[in-house]
Amino acid sequence: MKWLRISTALAGIAACSFMLAQVAPYAREAGAILAAQDDPVALSELKLDVLLRQNERLVQDNIEAALASGDADLADSFVALARDRNIALPDDLISRVSDAVKAENSTSQFAKRFATGLVTGNAEDVASLSGTVAGDLFVFGDIRDIVREGKHLAMGEDTDRLVLGLAAAGLAVTAATYVSVGGAAPVRAGLTLVKDARKVGRLGEGLAAWAGRSAREVVDTPMLQNAVAKGSVLRPGETVRAIKAAFRAEKAGALVRLGKDVTRVAGKTGTRGAMDTLRIAEGPKDVARAARLAEAQGGKTRAIIKLLGRGALLLVGGMFDLALWLFGAALTLFGLLSSIKVTTERLTQAWCDRRRARRLRRAQMAAEAALADAGLRA
């Protein structure tokens, strides 16, 4: 029975050791991810490790998909990610990406997209953003958007008050840009991107709701409506003055910070990278995290966001699973230590019992010898 109890304890050690060896790698990953939840750079690296380990062709498949959709910039971002991760890619695939990037950045294409951005106010890449920002810097773009949305407002039609508010804020920032000789230009470009993302339906719902509240706070709606009613693209000076009067600059701090962060993202990832960020962001904190990620990862950022989504910026979901891995590892470790303790106690008890039995035998033998010696003397 004694040796059965020892064998049972040893079996517990073996079982817990085997289970811990299986659980430990996942628990280690879970612990690292939880520890990095406030650092988007470290968090995205850890999640990429897990994702790329599960599918070796993930990067190559995404490059093919990006080329098929005509997004050479995204394909180039995946090539940069593959290069950083030492992932081998076929030479012909790299050549196709290079050719697509050159074609996309050709002079004729750039001029065409610049004109499109200037006239329509919609930005999809660097060229169209340049045209959009140029239009906004010369107040044409913002007045165009204000007059367009203002007509909807005056006629009782559906009005995008967020675009209206951002355009009004943009006019005030444009004035600051001229006064500071370009010092406010990054904010101007960022606000333009937010406005354009809204127009093309690529602004996340959470961020759109936040920006809408912020826009309402910085705009005197009745005064803006009056300015819009009297405004015209043909009278830009008068329209700008009337709209600027409706802008509350003292409450624009949050929008200004958002504009700066969006520009930081665009400066490292390009306009499409900034648009991708605005699409997944649920608030200004997400955009600030994306700016930190973009400054660390550069051209790889678009590929990372494509693979991880909002999970590249913060820990989204899976908290219970991560905690479960850690709990399982802790429970298994506790079982292992308990089994070691029980085994040690039982071995020690067996050793003590054996020594006690040996002493008893010796004492018994000595007593028997003494009796035998006494019998012989008698």
Side-chain angles (χ1 to χ4, degrees):
M1 181 64 70
K2 180 193 310 180
W3 292 109
L4 178 61
R5 294 177 63 198
I6 293 174
S7 299
T8 302
L10 289 172
I13 291 178
C16 289
S17 297
F18 175 77
M19 291 178 62
L20 187 61
Q22 302 301 312
V23 172
Y26 298 100
R28 185 166 54 249
E29 286 180 357
I33 290 174
L34 287 172
Q37 59 182 310
D38 294 324
D39 183 353
V41 179
L43 182 64
S44 61
E45 288 285 351
L46 290 169
K47 288 189 173 183
L48 279 175
D49 288 339
V50 176
L51 196 62
L52 295 177
R53 190 166 56 243
Q54 294 172 349
N55 185 355
E56 295 180 354
R57 284 188 51 87
L58 186 62
V59 172
Q60 185 172 338
D61 291 343
N62 273 275
I63 292 175
E64 294 283 5
L67 290 175
S69 65
D71 195 341
D73 181 74
L74 179 59
D76 193 46
S77 181
F78 273 105
V79 170
L81 180 63
R83 189 181 303 115
D84 180 69
R85 292 270 172 166
N86 294 319
I87 298 174
L89 295 174
D91 292 337
D92 66 313
L93 182 60
I94 296 176
S95 298
R96 286 167 56 201
V97 172
S98 179
D99 293 342
V101 170
K102 289 179 182 178
E104 190 174 81
N105 295 331
S106 64
T107 304
S108 59
Q109 287 294 325
F110 188 93
K112 179 180 178 181
R113 294 195 300 271
F114 179 92
T116 300
L118 179 63
V119 174
T120 65
N122 295 331
E124 285 291 334
D125 50 29
V126 175
S128 56
L129 176 64
S130 299
T132 302
V133 173
D136 286 351
L137 283 175
F138 288 103
V139 306
F140 164 77
D142 284 327
I143 293 179
R144 175 201 57 222
D145 294 332
I146 289 173
V147 170
R148 180 171 56 202
E149 296 301 328
K151 287 182 180 178
H152 296 317
L153 186 65
M155 297 179 67
E157 300 174 350
D158 290 338
T159 304
D160 194 328
R161 294 179 181 271
L162 175 54
V163 170
L164 192 61
L166 287 172
L171 286 178
V173 174
T174 300
T177 301
Y178 286 125
V179 171
S180 62
V181 193
V187 180
R188 167 70 276 177
L191 290 177
T192 296
L193 269 173
V194 176
K195 186 174 65 173
D196 291 339
R198 173 68 170 184
K199 290 179 184 177
V200 297
R202 298 182 67 178
L203 192 63
E205 292 184 6
L207 184 58
W210 175 89
R213 290 192 299 270
S214 299
R216 284 192 294 271
E217 289 177 0
V218 301
V219 172
D220 185 327
T221 303
M223 189 177 293
L224 179 62
Q225 287 177 335
N226 183 58
V228 167
K230 297 180 179 179
S232 171
V233 178
L234 301 178
R235 300 191 304 274
E238 179 183 338
T239 303
V240 169
R241 284 192 297 273
I243 292 173
K244 282 170 57 181
F247 181 73
R248 299 167 181 160
E250 70 279 2
K251 295 186 177 181
L255 279 177
V256 168
R257 286 192 295 273
L258 174 64
K260 288 181 178 178
D261 287 335
V262 172
T263 304
R264 287 166 59 197
V265 175
K268 296 295 182 179
T269 69
T271 303
R272 290 181 178 179
M275 287 290 192
D276 291 344
T277 298
L278 291 171
R279 179 176 53 81
I280 65 171
E282 291 296 320
K285 291 184 178 179
D286 286 358
V287 180
R289 285 172 175 266
R292 290 171 56 191
L293 178 65
E295 288 174 346
Q297 300 290 6
K300 299 173 289 184
T301 307
R302 281 201 73 196
I304 294 172
I305 290 179
K306 174 67 175 178
L307 293 176
L308 301 178
R310 190 164 176 251
L313 307 179
L314 72 167
L315 196 56
V316 180
M319 181 75 76
F320 178 77
D321 292 337
L322 296 175
L324 194 62
W325 280 117
L326 290 175
F327 177 74
L331 192 63
T332 306
L333 180 61
F334 176 77
L336 176 61
L337 295 176
S338 298
S339 298
I340 292 174
K341 176 179 176 293
V342 171
T343 302
T344 303
E345 290 174 348
R346 291 179 181 178
L347 286 173
T348 302
Q349 185 65 46
W351 181 75
C352 291
D353 291 344
R354 186 175 181 181
R355 287 195 63 184
R356 190 180 302 112
R358 188 178 299 169
R359 285 198 302 270
L360 288 174
R361 284 197 300 271
R362 289 176 180 174
Q364 185 178 3
M365 291 174 62
E368 291 175 352
L371 289 173
D373 184 57
L376 290 174
R377 290 181 180 178

